[in-house]
Amino acid sequence: MQTHEITRRFTDHFVAAGHTKVSSASLILDDPNLLFVNAGMVQFKPYFLGEVPPPYARATSIQKCVRTGDIDEVGRTTRHNTFFQMAGNFSFGDYFKAGAIEHAWNLITSSQDAGGYGFEPDRIWVTVYRDDDEAIELWRKIAGLPLERIQRRGGKDNYWDMGVPGPGGPSSEIYYDRGPEHGREGGPEADEDRYLEIWNLVFMQDVRGELSPKDGHPPIGTLPHKNIDTGMGVERVAYLLQGVDNVYETDLVRPVITRAEEFSGRRYGVDATDDVRFRVIADHARSGVMIIGDGVTPSNEGRGYVLRRLLRRIVRSSRLLGVNEPVLRSFAEVVRDEMAPTYPELVSGFERISAVVEAEEEAFLATLSAGSRIFDTAVAETKSSGGLVLPGDRAFQLHDTYGFPIDLTLEMASEAGLEVDQDRFRALMNEQRSRAKADAATRKVGHGDGSIYRTVLDTHGVTEFLGYTDLSAEATIVGLLVDGVPVAAAREGEHVEVVLDRTPFYAEAGGQQADTGELRGASFTVRVDDVQSPVAGLRVHRGVVVAGEVSLDAAVVAEVDRSRRASVSRAHTATHLVHAGVRGALGTAAAQAGSLNAPGRLRFDFTSPTGAVQPAALAEIEDEVNTVLQQNREVEAYETTMDEAKRLGAMMLFGEKYGDRVRVVDMGDYSRELCGGTHVGRTGEIGMIKVLSEASIGSGVRRVEALVGLDAFRHLSKEHLLVSTLADQLKARPEELPERINGLIERLRTAERDLEKVRADAVLASAGALAAGAEDIDGVSLVAVAAPDGVNGNDLRALASDVRGRLGSQPGVVALFSGDGEKVSFVVATTAAARDRGLAAGALIPTFAPAVGGRGGGKADLAQGGGTDPAGIPDAVRALRSALRN
């Protein structure tokens, strides 16, 4: 049974059982605890936590997931994968244990002719949480399982939570016995290779705190309703039903290995070492394509770093298979073709995906080239010292600084006849991981933090948003907090958080800054400085009581700062137009990666794997957008279904979660996006857009900054004044300024070069006098003095070399010092005859450097250094004389 058929049957089974089909969420959701979505229930967390009323009582989904904790194990085993699909069914206060068990049992054991998977009931085992007698009885009653195929296990195995504060509960796992050829008897407790877990049924009922019930700690509360969250591993079911040994041999994964075989000329299943590399390529190619498809680009932190590591491991593994040509685009094509029936967006977005992988591969190949040179130097140093082990510090430097994978270092070291100090390397890696974990722990935010806001939400419901049509409205205070604590009243001067039953204030979201304004009551005024939505559906107004005393349940008039709202709305609408202009000029690979809409200005981030946008192209984008403003197009905002929005071709931003009903902001055939922000009525209201800059903010991500409306006009006015002033001073027309200024700059550079030559000649002119003043120290001519004023840096080095040349064939040492404020520079040069007597410049520096609070080093003929005590120069000269005498 093919994988796409497995997911189709799952969905059909649960839709027939009254579940609403829900599309997979993006791998990137706004969750502070997760880099990537790692379970099917993640998109449903607000419903489980009671933050938002669920729109359906039952749901089913096929969720794409990425787990990155075991990247280093991928390929070494056939059990570890980074990307996988999780088929799930969910109940929100509807059915509970009995329903979950019955639905699962019917699907896995029904015949394939009847739409099931056709697993043999006699080969099914289950596990339950240690004291869940109810689940045991249900398995016996519904499935007829004998007690010997039901095993109790502890919290580590049969309690589920997300590893952070949030929802959880006991679970029951379903296993399939693959047969005695795969391991020993005794059920899952004895051998989880023979008894393979295929489905986990979570009976979600608890809220865990900082300490998990997995470790024996009690939950801190119960969820508002008992819920069901299940996850069936699609890939595991696939390899069981397809009669292969592991996920890498299933229909959607094996084609990537086949392509790698074509590139390398090697065959999977022949050599164990090669097999690891083939599996890394297959797993990471799928993960990389899916992650890029959801809007991530390679970088050096967060999700981007994980993506970069995945892609570079593919390139590394390919090279170890003997493939030196670019491979990432070809592997991405295979993933696209195999996964497209379930994820058609991989086809429509492939131009951007291929551009990202090609750019990253090109950059990494350059890194490999640079790293190889560093590696060759390290090998030469190790061998020259008679060693046979490459130091772990150098291996770590190659890995950490140059991005050189340790596996490649080991391979190349072996070819060079060396081993690598892996213990030291691992110790340094562990130190780095510990620092990273400590840093992450300081930023971790649990889901128990919003309990106060959820209480307000549960009591009074969602905040009705009126801001699309009204900027002033009457409302009632339903929540009042000071320092995060609910209060009945707050006095003048206190910082407060106010929740209203209805509001015209826009809460910061989607790059748009929050509204500001006032809340006015009969005897008080609250200045609103910020509006946030800490839990979905609730808008919290943050500000200061500027007059009177505000109290809970008071009536207010909520008034938005109209001028600021209008300015921000102009910027937000302008951002949509800039987005459309950039995509029109650069293609679909240019996708929005972030934005900021503030009064009078905007910031737009977008993916650009090909690098900087040329000034001419940027000017054309600016001109095109301003033309659209002049056309004064209507800006229409309306709600529709997700399917209709897709049919209309509306842009959907990566990482955003959309429901079945979406809001479209439409500017005709030029721009059409899904957006919840506020906008102008017609494009002409924006006035004008002036692009200020375009620059890189990370690998493959560019940033455009622009001014909007009156701010743009004022900027151009200042520029005009500046140009007029320059034209007047240079006695030139404005269009002549570039040529005139270039001429001035060139003349200035010529004058500086002439001046530098004169100064250098003057410095070298003192060389003869310095050489003539050499003193004899036991047959060695010594010139040890402070250099003439103005001599430092490269001049000092050149002067020392010139003086040494004038000492001829006799043994000679030149030591010149330059003091500047609190710094000292010095250079030591020796003649060939001096070196024959054992006087090396680098070896002489330690004899006098402490006198000037410094240090240095170099070769036998020339060395240099610096210090922090110019007053010690005379003592340094005396120390050098003494050293020569000794």
Side-chain angles (χ1 to χ4, degrees):
M1 188 181 295
Q2 300 298 293
T3 301
H4 295 303
E5 176 65 13
I6 291 170
T7 57
R8 186 192 67 77
R9 289 186 179 221
F10 188 95
T11 301
D12 289 351
H13 174 76
F14 283 101
V15 168
H19 294 67
T20 298
K21 178 183 176 181
V22 180
S23 299
S24 172
S26 166
L27 286 168
I28 317 302
L29 290 183
D30 184 16
D31 190 312
N33 300 304
L34 297 175
L35 280 179
F36 301 103
V37 168
N38 63 358
M41 61 76 62
V42 173
Q43 67 169 313
F44 302 112
K45 274 168 46 180
Y47 309 148
F48 288 130
L49 289 168
E51 296 175 352
V52 177
Y56 27 66
R58 304 178 177 192
T60 184
S61 70
I62 309 295
Q63 176 65 49
K64 50 190 174 184
C65 302
V66 168
R67 293 180 183 171
T68 59
D70 296 315
I71 286 180
D72 291 328
E73 295 303 315
V74 170
R76 299 181 185 279
T77 73
T78 57
R79 295 177 57 191
H80 291 88
N81 301 107
T82 53
F83 174 80
F84 58 95
Q85 298 175 90
M86 188 67 76
N89 59 288
F90 308 91
S91 166
F92 309 105
D94 190 10
Y95 61 84
F96 198 48
K97 291 182 184 179
I101 291 172
E102 183 173 6
H103 288 313
W105 182 256
N106 288 343
L107 177 59
I108 62 176
T109 60
S110 293
S111 70
Q112 294 188 8
D113 290 341
Y117 294 143
F119 285 112
E120 300 171 45
D122 291 344
R123 300 178 73 172
I124 302 295
W125 289 63
V126 300
T127 61
V128 299
Y129 189 52
R130 58 192 173 205
D131 55 3
D132 195 347
D133 296 331
E134 180 186 9
I136 292 176
E137 289 306 312
L138 288 170
W139 276 115
R140 296 185 66 189
K141 176 182 178 182
I142 294 169
L145 284 180
L147 280 174
E148 59 266 22
R149 297 215 310 271
I150 304 173
Q151 296 183 330
R152 297 177 187 266
R153 305 185 80 173
K156 292 290 186 183
D157 297 296
N158 279 79
Y159 191 94
W160 187 93
D161 60 43
M162 295 189 66
V164 294
S171 70
S172 182
E173 296 172 329
I174 303 174
Y175 291 80
Y176 182 75
D177 181 1
R178 300 168 66 199
E181 67 272 22
H182 293 282
R184 56 200 172 118
E185 295 186 3
E189 282 193 333
D191 191 331
E192 289 199 8
D193 282 328
R194 170 175 170 173
Y195 302 89
L196 185 74
E197 179 194 347
I198 58 173
W199 206 335
N200 188 14
L201 314 180
V202 179
F203 311 130
M204 194 177 295
Q205 60 195 40
D206 303 326
V207 177
R208 68 150 276 187
E210 290 296 333
L211 301 176
S212 174
K214 281 177 171 288
D215 301 314
H217 302 283
I220 63 172
T222 58
L223 292 172
H225 304 286
K226 290 184 177 181
N227 308 302
I228 288 297
D229 157 33
T230 84
M232 186 192 82
V234 171
E235 284 77 9
R236 290 192 176 187
V237 171
Y239 79 72
L240 289 175
L241 293 181
Q242 292 173 20
V244 296
D245 285 337
N246 57 68
V247 66
Y248 295 100
E249 298 173 14
T250 57
D251 59 317
L252 300 187
V253 185
R254 186 60 170 83
V256 182
I257 293 179
T258 299
R259 182 63 56 88
E261 289 177 321
E262 294 169 358
F263 274 122
S264 66
R266 305 184 191 184
R267 291 292 171 263
Y268 182 68
V270 173
D271 179 84
T273 301
D274 283 352
D275 285 353
V276 171
R277 296 161 186 166
F278 280 122
R279 289 194 288 263
V280 167
I281 291 169
D283 174 85
H284 290 4
R286 295 215 312 161
S287 299
V289 168
M290 301 305 290
I291 291 170
I292 297 169
D294 279 348
V296 180
T297 54
S299 68
N300 288 327
E301 59 183 18
R303 299 181 180 105
Y305 176 75
V306 173
L307 173 60
R308 169 162 286 166
R309 189 176 177 201
L310 291 169
L311 296 180
R312 293 188 170 193
R313 278 170 62 89
I314 297 172
V315 177
R316 178 275 317 275
S317 296
S318 299
R319 288 177 70 90
L320 293 178
L321 287 171
V323 182
N324 293 314
E325 61 191 289
V327 295
L328 288 185
R329 179 187 172 93
S330 185
F331 291 144
E333 289 173 347
V334 177
V335 174
R336 174 201 62 194
D337 295 343
E338 298 300 329
M339 302 297 289
T342 302
Y343 306 103
E345 64 271 17
L346 296 180
V347 177
S348 59
F350 192 71
E351 179 185 346
R352 188 183 64 84
I353 293 170
S354 62
V356 169
V357 298
E358 287 174 338
E360 182 63 16
E361 183 163 26
E362 180 181 355
F364 185 47
L365 289 175
T367 295
L368 282 176
S369 177
S372 295
R373 291 194 294 271
I374 302 299
F375 173 83
D376 291 342
T377 300
V379 168
E381 292 175 352
T382 301
K383 288 186 174 182
S384 66
S385 64
L388 296 175
V389 179
L390 190 74
D393 300 70
R394 297 303 296 272
F396 179 76
Q397 179 193 25
L398 283 164
H399 170 85
D400 193 52
T401 305
Y402 298 97
F404 216 59
I406 183 60
D407 288 353
L408 195 55
T409 300
L410 292 170
E411 183 97 1
M412 294 173 65
S414 176
E415 293 172 357
L418 298 177
E419 294 182 354
V420 177
D421 183 354
Q422 296 187 60
D423 290 340
R424 175 60 177 163
F425 173 82
R426 292 193 190 98
L428 292 170
M429 286 294 293
N430 287 335
E431 289 177 12
Q432 185 185 65
R433 290 191 186 103
S434 297
R435 289 191 296 269
K437 287 181 179 178
D439 181 56
T442 64
R443 298 194 304 268
K444 183 177 286 188
V445 179
H447 288 276
D449 302 337
S451 59
I452 294 174
Y453 302 115
R454 284 197 293 274
T455 299
V456 176
L457 183 68
D458 291 340
T459 304
H460 299 283
V462 301
T463 307
E464 181 184 0
F465 178 58
L466 310 170
Y468 291 136
T469 57
D470 299 318
L471 296 182
S472 179
E474 296 180 353
T476 301
I477 297 176
V478 297
L480 184 64
L481 293 84
V482 175
D483 296 330
V485 178
V487 296
R491 298 175 180 175
E492 183 176 331
E494 288 189 290
H495 290 262
V496 293
E497 292 181 296
V498 180
V499 182
L500 305 177
D501 61 341
R502 57 206 301 265
T503 182
F505 282 81
Y506 183 84
E508 181 179 0
Q512 178 173 331
Q513 289 188 345
D515 284 333
T516 61
E518 287 185 341
L519 306 179
R520 295 190 300 273
S523 59
F524 63 85
T525 301
V526 176
R527 185 186 74 233
V528 177
D529 300 320
D530 185 25
V531 186
Q532 296 292 325
S533 181
V535 294
L538 202 70
R539 295 173 186 260
V540 179
H541 308 72
R542 296 172 175 168
V544 179
V545 182
V546 294
E549 181 178 272
V550 60
S551 60
L552 199 62
D553 300 324
V556 299
V557 174
E559 186 85 35
V560 173
D561 182 330
R562 294 170 183 267
S563 175
R564 187 177 189 279
R565 162 69 83 85
S567 185
V568 172
S569 296
R570 287 193 291 268
H572 199 157
T573 309
T575 300
H576 284 230
L577 295 171
V578 171
H579 186 187
V582 168
R583 285 177 67 85
L586 305 181
T588 57
Q592 181 169 332
S595 66
L596 172 68
N597 310 300
R601 63 188 177 92
L602 67 88
R603 189 178 71 208
F604 176 70
D605 302 338
F606 60 97
T607 56
S608 178
T610 56
V613 181
Q614 295 304 309
L618 203 62
E620 289 180 5
I621 294 170
E622 181 184 78
D623 184 70
E624 180 179 289
V625 171
N626 279 302
T627 299
V628 174
L629 303 191
Q630 191 178 38
Q631 293 168 350
N632 198 27
R633 297 189 179 202
E634 181 181 4
V635 180
E636 184 182 5
Y638 53 88
E639 281 196 3
T640 186
T641 64
M642 173 60 81
D643 289 341
E644 177 63 11
K646 290 179 178 178
R647 189 190 68 78
L648 291 171
M651 279 291 302
M652 302 174 190
L653 301 186
F654 294 112
E656 291 291 327
K657 180 182 178 183
Y658 299 107
D660 293 332
R661 300 285 299 178
V662 294
R663 185 170 185 265
V664 179
V665 176
D666 196 329
M667 288 171 253
D669 58 0
Y670 191 75
S671 171
R672 184 176 290 118
E673 290 190 30
L674 302 191
C675 181
T678 64
H679 296 273
V680 299
R682 304 192 73 90
T683 60
E685 297 175 34
I686 296 174
M688 66 165 31
I689 294 173
K690 176 57 188 172
V691 175
L692 298 180
S693 64
E694 187 273 350
S696 171
I697 59 168
S699 177
V701 181
R702 311 293 298 181
R703 170 171 291 173
V704 167
E705 299 199 52
L707 296 177
V708 179
L710 190 58
D711 289 83
F713 172 80
R714 288 169 176 160
H715 175 79
L716 291 175
S717 178
K718 289 180 181 178
E719 283 198 339
H720 176 71
L721 178 61
L722 176 62
V723 169
S724 298
T725 302
L726 286 172
D728 182 60
Q729 291 178 343
L730 296 176
K731 308 301 181 186
R733 294 192 300 272
E735 61 268 23
E736 296 173 340
L737 285 177
E739 183 179 355
R740 184 68 61 88
I741 292 173
N742 284 337
L744 287 174
I745 291 173
E746 186 56 39
R747 288 200 296 274
L748 179 60
R749 287 173 177 167
T750 300
E752 288 176 340
R753 286 194 295 267
D754 292 342
L755 181 60
E756 176 64 20
K757 186 176 184 303
V758 170
R759 192 182 62 78
D761 290 343
V763 167
L764 294 178
S766 64
L770 291 174
E775 57 181 308
D776 182 88
I777 306 292
D778 294 337
V780 176
S781 295
L782 173 64
V783 177
V785 296
D789 292 341
V791 177
N792 51 47
N794 291 332
D795 290 342
L796 197 65
R797 187 183 180 100
L799 182 57
S801 296
D802 198 351
V803 173
R804 177 181 59 187
R806 294 171 185 269
L807 294 180
S809 60
Q810 59 185 313
V813 175
V814 178
L816 301 183
F817 298 83
S818 174
D820 181 14
E822 297 180 354
K823 295 182 180 179
V824 179
S825 298
F826 52 79
V827 174
V828 178
T830 58
T831 64
R835 293 194 293 276
D836 289 342
R837 292 182 57 172
L839 298 175
L844 288 171
I845 285 180
T847 67
F848 66 82
V852 292
R855 59 182 181 178
K859 298 181 180 179
D861 62 329
L862 190 69
Q864 61 189 34
T868 59
D869 184 11
I873 290 176
D875 290 337
V877 171
R878 285 190 288 271
L880 180 56
R881 287 196 189 105
S882 178
L884 290 178
R885 289 193 181 96
N886 293 331

